[in-house]
Amino acid sequence: MVRGLWQQVEQRDPFPVRDPDPADPDCDVCGALVAQRADCYRLGDLSGVVDRNVELRRHPHSVEDL
């Protein structure tokens, strides 16, 4: 019996990065991004997860707001 040339292997990120927490838990924008990220995880949209994480990291909060 001849086996296929391709073997499926589990792929993982060799440099996993923790999802960022919102800078301000009371911020509406941060809350919406966290909810959208959860939806992306649920749908298997890892590109969307990364996009939301980038937005969370870049969302501005002044020192006075924190």
Side-chain angles (χ1 to χ4, degrees):
M1 176 200 258
V2 176
R3 293 186 181 247
L5 296 175
W6 301 102
Q7 179 181 3
Q8 188 172 6
V9 295
E10 179 184 350
Q11 295 186 6
R12 323 176 228 171
D13 188 349
F15 305 105
V17 177
R18 189 174 67 83
D19 287 340
D21 293 325
D24 180 3
D26 296 325
C27 173
D28 292 338
V29 173
C30 288
L33 289 170
V34 169
Q36 290 171 9
R37 179 178 65 194
D39 288 341
C40 290
Y41 268 124
R42 185 177 49 78
L43 297 171
D45 178 10
L46 298 182
S47 175
V49 170
V50 170
D51 291 344
R52 296 320 170 271
N53 284 341
V54 168
E55 288 185 66
L56 275 166
R57 285 187 182 97
R58 292 183 176 177
H59 180 66
H61 286 278
S62 65
V63 175
E64 297 84 33
D65 292 343
L66 300 176

